[in-house]
């Protein structure tokens, strides 16, 4: 179980997070929703220890992570799939996947790669192709596949649906559900609130660096404010 409590993050004079608390229970899908600039990416970066909190608590299974290095967060199985896909464009699909397993022993790499192909068969067909020449949807699949190569206990996904056609978005969301069913907890950042709420057990809505609303999917779908602001009425 991962938990944040009263976390504050500043970038110089910008207070990006102003005391947020959230929890990702084992085996669950939790979504983090909100408008541009609300602090969603900052929250994931804080969890990966890419930005330092000014104040607050961060625990995994009851142990404080606040002083851990990014590499030890990865070793604990928290794997970050960043915003805008960020695959290595000049490396092949295969090389990108191997990079995702850098913290693992060689012998499991082939096995993990086969698991990735079971979710994303297209990546097997494109194995030797340079990642920069893949379509947007394929690059997103590769970015998720690369994160899976690190054998996540908790997968942090930053806007996996951004800029993709509805058909691909549906495909990616249903694979996210499958990944979760195989035992990986997921914290997903999305602007596509409707889709995210559909697959999540619990959601948080960030506004201006604070948690404005939270609840189960049922609660949020029935909340007038959420419907008006995020679900199109
Ligand atoms: N490196 C930085 N330096 C200064 N300000 C930053 C930095 N990164 C983010 N910010 C600011 O912090 C706030 C939160 O940014 P963040 O990227 O977390 O938002 P977000 O919710 O992910 O937005 P989006 O939906 O557009 O990706 C914004 O006001 C942003 O301008
Ligand atoms: Mg963001």
């Amino acid at each position: 179980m991962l938990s944040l409590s009263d976390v504050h993050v500043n970038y110089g004079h910008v207070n990006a997070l102003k005391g947020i608390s959230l929890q990702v229970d084992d085996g669950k899908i939790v979504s983090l929703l909100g408008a541009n600039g609300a602090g969603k990416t900052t929250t994931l970066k804080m969890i990966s220890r890419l930005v330092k909190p000014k104040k607050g608590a961060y625990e995994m299974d009851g142990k404080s992570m606040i002083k851990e290095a990014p590499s030890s967060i990865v070793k604990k199985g928290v794997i970050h799939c960043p915003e805008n896909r960020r695959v290595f464009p000049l490396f092949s699909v295969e090389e990108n996947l191997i990079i995702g397993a850098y913290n693992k022993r060689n012998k499991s790499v082939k096995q993990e790669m086969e698991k990735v192909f079971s979710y994303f068969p297209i990546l097997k067909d494109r194995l030797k192709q340079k990642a920069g020449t893949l379509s947007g949807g394929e690059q997103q699949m590769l970015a998720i596949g690369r994160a899976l190569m690190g054998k996540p206990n908790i997968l942090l996904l930053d806007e996996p649906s951004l800029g993709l056609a509805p058909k691909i978005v549906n495909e990616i969301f249903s694979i996210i559900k499958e990944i979760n069913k195989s035992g990986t907890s997921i914290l997903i950042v999305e602007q596509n609130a409707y889709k995210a709420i559909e697959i999540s057990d619990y959601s948080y809505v960030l506004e201006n660096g604070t948690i404005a609303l939270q609840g189960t999917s049922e609660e949020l779908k029935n909340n007038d404010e959420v419907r008006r602001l995020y679900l199109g009425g």
Side-chain angles (χ1 to χ4, degrees):
M1 192 252 272
L2 180 156
S3 74
L4 302 183
S5 171
D6 194 29
V7 166
H8 294 247
V9 172
N10 292 356
Y11 297 107
H13 295 300
V14 178
N15 302 325
L17 298 181
K18 304 169 189 162
I20 71 155
S21 302
L22 62 80
Q23 191 170 313
V24 182
D25 287 333
D26 292 346
K28 301 291 186 201
I29 304 185
V30 174
S31 59
L32 196 53
L33 314 171
N36 291 120
K40 305 180 298 298
T41 295
T42 301
T43 304
L44 295 194
K45 283 186 176 167
M46 187 270 152
I47 292 171
S48 294
R49 298 294 287 104
L50 300 174
V51 296
K52 279 195 179 132
K54 188 176 147 236
K55 181 179 160 209
Y58 167 18
E59 291 186 348
M60 262 181 73
D61 300 326
K63 283 196 211 103
S64 177
M65 295 291 118
I66 214 93
K67 294 210 169 107
E68 299 285 337
S71 58
S72 67
I73 301 291
V74 172
K75 283 202 190 98
K76 296 236 159 40
V78 180
I79 312 284
H80 194 151
C81 183
E83 213 170 17
N84 301 322
R85 316 197 242 282
R86 299 214 185 276
V87 292
F88 297 100
L90 299 177
F91 288 173
S92 69
V93 167
E94 187 175 31
E95 288 161 342
N96 269 274
L97 290 174
I98 290 170
I99 291 165
Y102 73 94
N103 64 335
K104 301 288 170 232
R105 275 177 228 210
N106 265 343
K107 64 176 184 189
S108 67
V109 168
K110 271 245 143 5
Q111 210 177 319
E112 289 312 310
M113 225 184 259
E114 284 304 324
K115 220 190 271 173
V116 170
F117 300 148
S118 74
Y119 293 120
F120 304 113
I122 188 80
L123 295 180
K124 197 170 188 173
D125 300 339
R126 302 282 189 272
L127 207 56
K128 303 292 176 193
Q129 192 172 320
K130 289 215 180 5
T133 65
L134 297 173
S135 73
E138 290 163 355
Q139 288 190 26
Q140 184 60 63
M141 291 174 193
L142 178 56
I144 298 174
R146 186 182 55 190
L148 292 177
M149 292 296 290
K151 288 185 147 208
N153 300 323
I154 303 182
L155 181 59
L156 310 176
L157 291 172
D158 199 341
E159 304 219 31
S161 78
L162 195 72
L164 303 181
K167 184 170 167 273
I168 308 289
V169 172
N170 287 339
E171 206 176 307
I172 284 179
F173 271 88
S174 79
I175 289 164
I176 291 169
K177 265 198 108 151
E178 267 181 61
I179 293 168
N180 171 252
K181 277 199 195 125
S182 78
T184 306
S185 313
I186 292 177
L187 178 58
I188 178 172
V189 162
E190 263 295 337
Q191 291 213 27
N192 191 335
Y194 184 78
K195 281 268 158 213
I197 288 175
E198 281 282 277
I199 65 160
S200 299
D201 297 291
Y202 201 84
S203 303
Y204 296 88
V205 180
L206 263 180
E207 245 175 57
N208 232 330
T210 60
I211 306 263
L213 271 166
Q214 57 181 289
T216 63
S217 300
E218 274 316 299
E219 285 164 352
L220 292 187
K221 273 195 280 189
N222 293 321
N223 180 302
D224 287 341
E225 198 184 342
V226 173
R227 283 159 64 143
R228 186 171 57 81
L229 291 174
Y230 299 103
L231 302 178

